[in-house]
Amino acid sequence: MVETNRAAEDFVFDQPCPIRDVLDRIGDQWSLLILTALEKGAKRFNALSREIGDVSKQMLSKTLKRLEQDGFVRRTLYAEVPLRVEYELTELGQSFLVPMKSLIAWANANHRTICETRKAFPSRAQAR
Amino acid sequence: MVETNRAAEDFVFDQPCPIRDVLDRIGDQWSLLILTALEKGAKRFNALSREIGDVSKQMLSKTLKRLEQDGFVRRTLYAEVPLRVEYELTELGQSFLVPMKSLIAWANANHRTICETRKAFPSRAQAR
DNA sequence: CGGAATCCCGAGCGATACTG
DNA sequence: CAGTATCGCTCGGGATTCCG
């Protein structure tokens, strides 16, 4: 699993289009939720799980690892018993939230309009 | 196909979380590309197809319809021969691009850092 | 407690062919 | 030209189970 196709695998590390690369992360359903949940401070794994609610442990784990790999989140392991692991935003993660917030604000402001428009659209045979 | 499960179907029209609803659209790989392509003015279907390049007709069609349904894009049909259809941004679509641009700017500014961080991450057995 | 491994289903999406 | 219909594959991600 480690040495499969080197060329294709390396592609992950050098995406040609920045915005698509970024959208792939935050567009994956959980990343943004996690990021905003961490905005108020460091959280433990199960605390995040409880706060977000409808995320499986697997996805929380995977998403956190990706966010860590991309430098949005820092993971700290405390070798206690029982184990304790804390996640917190890095500077990069915090700086990302700045432009993201204006987008969130836009979404909140215009969501009602979007829903109305959607309802008014002719033909109920639409996708999704 | 029109009258399946009413409750589940209506859910599409009234999403509880604004930002997730919005991200579902622009996170779908083509919406943002189309929106930015339309920023400079109205375009015809095939013109969009050629400009974006690697999008199939099916996905272009579906995505445009969703964007139209959500009120981001306006579709105008000219009953000529041969057929002519033009797509353009609505005011909503244009207003959306404002916060989106700051996010794009962030992505451009920090993409290199993200790629470096990603490369430096231990263990090549990462996801995606 | 904090994950990793396995199984599995449905959505996303491309390719192709057909229609108005 | 501007789509729609059908097919089939891939992959995200939930459920469940196992590990340190």
Side-chain angles (χ1 to χ4, degrees):
Chain A
M1 184 198 277
V2 176
E3 296 295 334
T4 49
N5 185 328
R6 179 55 66 97
E9 212 169 279
D10 278 350
F11 188 68
V12 175
F13 299 101
D14 189 29
Q15 292 290 333
C17 179
I19 186 60
R20 262 169 87 152
D21 196 16
V22 169
L23 278 184
D24 272 2
R25 305 291 152 166
I26 64 149
D28 75 346
Q29 213 70 207
W30 301 120
S31 294
L32 184 60
L33 265 336
I34 294 174
L35 255 23
T36 55
L38 288 178
E39 193 185 1
K40 306 151 228 161
K43 298 271 174 65
R44 303 182 54 165
F45 186 88
N46 278 340
L48 276 172
S49 182
R50 262 177 278 110
E51 184 167 338
I52 298 180
D54 57 343
V55 62
S56 66
K57 292 205 303 178
Q58 185 195 43
M59 283 318 295
L60 182 56
S61 174
K62 277 189 181 177
T63 308
L64 279 169
K65 186 177 292 183
R66 287 228 303 246
L67 289 174
E68 187 194 359
Q69 181 180 3
D70 286 1
F72 287 83
V73 161
R74 177 165 34 246
R75 176 183 186 272
T76 311
L77 167 67
Y78 298 89
E80 307 170 349
V81 178
L83 229 52
R84 183 162 65 99
V85 179
E86 285 198 340
Y87 294 93
E88 62 184 329
L89 291 184
T90 61
E91 313 240 324
L92 187 74
Q94 290 178 12
S95 80
F96 167 75
L97 249 28
V98 176
M100 198 58 216
K101 276 187 187 172
S102 63
L103 192 64
I104 293 174
W106 187 94
N108 283 324
N110 296 90
H111 189 239
R112 180 176 298 275
T113 304
I114 293 175
C115 286
E116 303 289 333
T117 310
R118 210 176 283 172
K119 277 179 192 162
F121 198 73
S123 149
R124 292 188 59 86
Q126 79 307 117
R128 201 196 158 76
Chain B
M1 185 199 275
V2 177
E3 296 295 334
T4 49
N5 186 327
R6 178 54 64 96
E9 214 170 278
D10 278 350
F11 188 68
V12 176
F13 300 101
D14 190 29
Q15 292 289 334
C17 179
I19 186 59
R20 261 169 88 151
D21 195 15
V22 169
L23 277 183
D24 271 3
R25 306 290 153 166
I26 64 148
D28 74 348
Q29 213 68 207
W30 301 120
S31 293
L32 185 60
L33 264 336
I34 293 173
L35 256 22
T36 54
L38 288 177
E39 194 186 0
K40 307 151 227 160
K43 297 270 174 65
R44 303 180 55 162
F45 186 88
N46 278 340
L48 275 171
S49 182
R50 261 177 277 110
E51 184 167 338
I52 298 180
D54 57 344
V55 63
S56 67
K57 294 205 302 178
Q58 186 193 47
M59 284 318 294
L60 182 56
S61 175
K62 277 188 181 176
T63 308
L64 279 169
K65 187 176 290 183
R66 288 227 303 247
L67 289 175
E68 188 195 356
Q69 181 181 3
D70 286 1
F72 287 83
V73 160
R74 179 165 31 245
R75 178 183 185 270
T76 312
L77 167 66
Y78 298 90
E80 305 170 352
V81 177
L83 229 54
R84 183 162 64 98
V85 179
E86 285 198 342
Y87 293 92
E88 61 184 332
L89 292 183
T90 61
E91 313 240 323
L92 186 74
Q94 290 177 14
S95 80
F96 167 75
L97 249 28
V98 176
M100 198 58 215
K101 276 186 187 172
S102 64
L103 191 64
I104 294 175
W106 186 94
N108 283 324
N110 296 91
H111 188 239
R112 180 175 298 274
T113 304
I114 293 175
C115 285
E116 304 290 332
T117 309
R118 210 177 283 172
K119 277 179 192 162
F121 199 74
S123 151
R124 292 189 59 86
Q126 79 306 117
R128 202 197 159 75

